Structures are given as structure tokens and as C-alpha cells.
Amino acid sequence: MGRSHHFHLDQGGHSITVNVGPGREGEIELLVNGKVVAYQREHGPGLNLLTGELPDEPVRIFRVRIREPRLVPIAPRCTLELDGVEHPMPERHLV
């Protein structure tokens, strides 16, 4: 069984965090400013997509793409897409 992965990026005064549970049956949580705004019960290999909103005026919608390799057991990659610009989300290693 794999381990959990945590990605984080501060964007426009907001904290955006993605938690990917271990293994192929772990959940994915998308948090904005510490609150869960999207949740996916299971994830699998390939592309997983979640959508959230930044509480600005007006609200800004964004997407997060989590790519998990199908054949090679390496860590997933996470990318934030906001206002048409892609931002790689660095992985945070929690102790």
C-alpha cells in the first residue's frame, strides 16, 4: 500500500491544499483556507480532477489536476489551473 501525499500552494492570499489518500482506494480532499471544498471518495491511475472556488469578489473558480502514473509506482503530480494559468503544486512532506 502506498502513502498519503499532500500538496500546497498559496495563491492570491488564499491557502489551497490537496490531500491524496494512500493506495488506489484513498480519498482526495481539496481544501481552501483549511475548509474542504471538494472531495472524491476514490482515485485511480490516470487523471483525477477536482473543482473549487476562491472566496474573492467575484468568486474565482479553479481546477486541480492530480495525475497518477498507470504503470510506474511514482508519486502523483498536482497542478492548479486558475485564470487560465497552470501552477505546479509542490508536495509537502508531513512529519
Side-chain angles (χ1 to χ4, degrees), residues 5-11 14-19 31-34 78 80 87-94:
H5 297 274
H6 308 277
F7 301 91
H8 180 82
L9 191 63
D10 290 323
Q11 190 70 31
H14 300 287
S15 169
I16 301 171
T17 304
V18 176
N19 296 320
L31 297 89
V32 173
N33 300 330
C78 189
L80 168 71
H87 306 273
M89 294 184 70
E91 186 169 3
R92 294 189 319 181
H93 297 283
L94 303 178

Side-chain angles (χ1 to χ4, degrees), residues 7-47:
F7 301 91
H8 180 82
L9 191 63
D10 290 323
Q11 190 70 31
H14 300 287
S15 169
I16 301 171
T17 304
V18 176
N19 296 320
V20 181
R24 296 291 187 207
E25 296 179 9
E27 70 281 344
I28 301 175
E29 291 180 319
L30 172 60
L31 297 89
V32 173
N33 300 330
K35 294 183 180 180
V36 176
V37 298
Y39 177 83
Q40 185 173 313
R41 186 177 199 89
E42 296 177 352
H43 61 92
L47 179 65

